[in-house]
Each structure stands twice: as structure tokens, then as C-alpha cells.
Amino acid sequence: MNSDKKKRLLTGIQPSGRPHLGNYFGMMKQVVNLQDEYETFVFIADYHALTTVRDKEKMHENILNMVIDFLAIGLNADKVVLFQQSQVSEHTELCWVFNCITTMPFLMRAHAFKDAQEAKKKDITVGLFDYPVLMAADILLYDAEIVPVGKDQKQHLEMTRDIAEKFNSMFGDTFILPDALIRDDVAVVPGIDGKKMSKSYGNTIPLFAKREEIERLVKKIVTDSDGEMPKNVYAMHKLFRSEEELAPIYESHKGRYGDLKKILIEDIDAFISPLRERRAEIAKDINKVKEILNNGANIARELAGAKMRLARERLGLLL
Ligand code: ADP
Ligand code: TRP
């Protein structure tokens, strides 16, 4: 039945390093939870990662690792279209079209650009400046309705909607306005210093961390207390257990930060160890991983190609 047609969900992640608990709870897990309910597209944003990764071996490795990570957490490659952004040339093609209707002052409002400017970085590239426009192209090419992301991407989604509206009003309805899907409880997962967990702050716990690494990192969690509550330890613990479960534990271990950290280490390790095992299995067959990406790119290219033709037609480029 047509009314049963699933809505389309799409998201991307940059292959810029190992994913961490913030990526997992903020975005990756949402996708796995929703993959049956939505027609799901997940891509590796390798062109976006070029703004920071300039090492051939690293890039290659990061891309494959990110795909393996997604499969290991339960992304079902038989259902989900999983692909590499750079394999579908329409992303950069549509980005150019959007560049021609997007103003510099509009892009100057982007947080990432403003942060770089405030830090007085002299090497801000055109790619970093244009990052939100490529992201708009990623999303709008596929008529995505729902885009699961962490809160740091909220502004990018708003900019995507603005760009879609602008194109639609200039050239006629062509693109669907997507909604960000941001879960309040995990919108900003804190890192071991209490600030937003991020690859760029060196405060992460990697999603596939080994036991020793988990121990070392949890021990480093800054124990600023709120009364007798070590709030950074608790904030991380909440990812793994309900508040009801945690209340008696924190009550009976008042002020004993070291013991609470030990319990947290056990909880994180119990969660990660089956994932690590599944990951090791999947990593044995790299050809299979590449095949998944190729199949995904073939499907993505069809849709992106059709949308790009429509855009060209609306622009007066088709003779
Ligand atoms: P990072 O900041 O570590 O470089 P990315 O930019 O690669 O992370 O983010 C990938 C996805 O994970 C995005 O949807 C982003 O919003 C989400 N995300 C990243 N860090 C967090 C966090 N600490 N809490 C919640 N979501 C996050
Ligand atoms: N900017 C996103 C991040 O850093 C990654 C990304 C690129 C993305 N294109 C996207 C996310 C399209 C969602 C949809 O996390």
C-alpha cells in the first residue's frame, strides 16, 4: 500500500578518526534504532573530512574503519544504503549550484567558521567555509525527511532548510525541507573533562576502546563535584543505566569517587566488549565491506542523478 511508504532518513559521518561514545549515543545508535522504520541512507562524508585529513593512508583507513564500526553496532547492510560521499559526484555538483545562490554573509554565521575565525586561524580553507553548503547538497539530493544528528549539527540543518527554501522560491519546488532529529537526553554527550565529547578536544572514550584504554580514560574523568555527586562520572554513567538504577549506587557510594569509577569501568566494558568482538569478525572480510560500499553507491547514484537532472532542468541548463 502506498500509504505505508516509509519516510526517508539520511545522515553522514566524517571519517576523521575513531568514533566515540558521543558519536554513538548522539547519532549512530539512533540510526540503528530507526533503520527498520525508515528508508535509511548512511554515508561516509569523506569530502567533508578533507577539510582536516590530508594523509592518504589515514583517509583510506578511516573510511573502511568507519564502515566496519557501523556494521559492528548493528547497521543492517541489506536494508540500509551505505556509501561513500566521494563516489557520488552529484554531491559536489549540487554544492556548486547552491554556492551560486548562497551569500558569503550567510556562511559567515556558521559556528565552525566563526570559531576558526575567533581562534585567529590563518589557514581557514574555502572548503571549511563551504562545509555547510556541501552538507545541504548531501541531504537535499535524496529528499531526506529526517536527519539524526547531535546538537552541534543543528545549525547546519537550519542552513540546509534555508538553502532549500531559497532554491525552491527562485526556481520552483525541487527540494524537500528536512528535519533534524536530535534526542534531548543525548544531544551533547560530555567527555572526560565534562565538555562536549569531541575528537577535536582529545576528551573522548572511543566506541571500540580496549579494556585498558577504558580504565585509563575513566580514571582521568575530572571529578568536579556537585555536593557529593561527581557530576562528570554520573553524566557518563547515565548512558549505560537508568537514573532509577543509579540512585541507590550513588547513594551508597557517596564521596567514594574511585569506587564509582570502577563501577563505571565495568559498565562501559560490559557494553563495549560484545561490540569489539563483532567488529573483529567483520574486519576479517574487507572485500565484503568494499562490496557493501559499492552496492550502496550504485543505489545512491541513481537517486542523486535523477534529482540533479531535475535541478538542471529547473535551472535552464537542459536544452
Ligand atoms: P566530533 O565532534 O567528535 O568530530 P563528528 O563531527 O564527527 O564528531 O560528529 C558525528 C555525529 O556525532 C554528528 O551527528 C554529531 O552531532 C554527533 N556527535 C558528536 N559528538 C557528540 C556528542 N558529544 N554528543 C552528542 N552527539 C555528538
Ligand atoms: N557535518 C556532519 C558532522 O560533522 C557530517 C555530515 C556531512 C552530515 N554531511 C551530512 C550529517 C549530512 C548529516 C547529514 O558530523
Side-chain angles (χ1 to χ4, degrees):
M1 268 194 305
N2 256 348
S3 58
D4 284 346
K5 197 168 165 356
K6 289 180 178 173
K7 284 191 173 185
R8 191 170 289 165
L9 174 154
L10 171 141
T11 195
I13 188 163
Q14 296 188 66
S16 51
R18 294 165 80 189
H20 50 72
L21 294 178
N23 300 139
Y24 177 75
F25 287 100
M27 187 276 267
M28 298 167 86
K29 184 182 173 195
Q30 275 26 287
V31 178
V32 174
N33 287 346
L34 294 170
Q35 64 184 341
D36 295 326
E37 195 179 326
Y38 291 88
E39 190 189 355
T40 302
F41 289 70
V42 175
F43 68 94
I44 310 299
D46 49 3
Y47 274 156
H48 277 110
L50 270 184
T51 57
T52 52
V53 183
R54 279 73 174 258
D55 177 306
K56 177 180 169 182
E57 301 302 324
K58 265 255 110 26
M59 181 65 96
H60 195 111
E61 209 174 280
N62 286 355
I63 293 170
L64 286 173
N65 278 332
M66 194 58 85
V67 178
I68 298 170
D69 295 343
F70 256 112
L71 297 172
I73 60 161
L75 198 77
N76 181 347
D78 294 331
K79 286 193 182 148
V80 171
V81 180
L82 183 56
F83 66 101
Q84 216 183 318
Q85 181 188 36
S86 64
Q87 296 307 300
V88 184
S89 51
E90 284 80 1
H91 289 242
T92 41
E93 202 178 346
L94 185 60
C95 176
W96 176 259
V97 169
F98 289 158
N99 278 340
C100 296
I101 61 164
T102 303
T103 68
M104 304 257 293
F106 174 82
L107 286 183
M108 281 172 176
R109 297 204 297 265
H111 298 313
F113 173 69
K114 282 209 298 203
D115 291 350
Q117 238 187 358
E118 272 161 29
K120 302 216 180 324
K121 288 205 175 133
K122 293 228 181 342
D123 56 353
I124 302 176
T125 60
V126 177
L128 177 83
F129 188 60
D130 205 29
Y131 189 109
V133 182
L134 179 58
M135 185 157 161
D138 296 339
I139 298 169
L140 299 177
L141 267 179
Y142 299 94
D143 289 336
E145 292 166 271
I146 299 282
V147 183
V149 282
K151 194 168 163 208
D152 57 351
Q153 298 298 315
K154 188 168 184 264
Q155 188 193 33
H156 285 151
L157 260 294
E158 287 161 4
M159 294 176 107
T160 297
R161 291 173 64 97
D162 288 345
I163 292 170
E165 275 188 314
K166 189 156 185 188
F167 186 102
N168 287 348
S169 73
M170 291 170 99
F171 301 104
D173 266 355
T174 309
F175 298 108
I176 288 183
L177 271 54
D179 285 311
L181 181 79
I182 302 172
R183 278 188 59 139
D184 280 346
D185 54 339
V186 285
V188 187
V189 171
I192 59 176
D193 55 0
K195 284 193 281 199
K196 174 196 152 247
M197 188 179 287
S198 171
K199 281 169 237 147
S200 27
Y201 303 156
N203 64 354
T204 69
I205 297 190
L207 175 58
F208 296 93
K210 295 211 176 78
R211 167 99 196 183
E212 307 77 64
E213 203 177 5
I214 299 171
E215 284 175 9
R216 181 171 55 78
L217 292 169
V218 169
K219 282 181 187 149
K220 286 208 310 208
I221 295 178
V222 179
T223 46
D224 276 354
S225 64
D226 184 2
E228 294 202 307
M229 174 71 103
K231 57 179 196 277
N232 295 335
V233 180
Y234 184 78
M236 200 165 292
H237 225 152
K238 266 203 324 199
L239 300 170
F240 301 93
R241 288 185 195 238
S242 68
E243 294 186 25
E244 292 71 34
E245 264 184 282
L246 289 176
I249 301 175
Y250 277 70
E251 182 57 36
S252 60
H253 291 79
K254 254 191 194 152
R256 287 155 54 196
Y257 298 168
D259 290 342
L260 287 167
K261 284 186 173 182
K262 276 189 194 145
I263 301 171
L264 177 60
I265 289 169
E266 291 310 323
D267 285 348
I268 299 180
D269 193 46
F271 165 77
I272 293 184
S273 70
L275 298 184
R276 272 194 308 254
E277 281 168 30
R278 217 175 312 153
R279 192 184 192 292
E281 260 325 291
I282 295 166
K284 283 183 191 158
D285 194 352
I286 291 295
N287 284 335
K288 178 82 199 297
V289 173
K290 290 183 182 167
E291 190 188 311
I292 289 172
L293 283 179
N294 277 331
N295 291 340
N298 287 336
I299 299 172
R301 247 181 243 123
E302 288 271 318
L303 288 167
K307 196 62 166 184
M308 196 60 223
R309 266 192 300 283
L310 178 64
R312 264 193 240 107
E313 195 265 315
R314 295 275 150 90
L315 290 161
L317 300 171
L318 282 195
L319 304 184

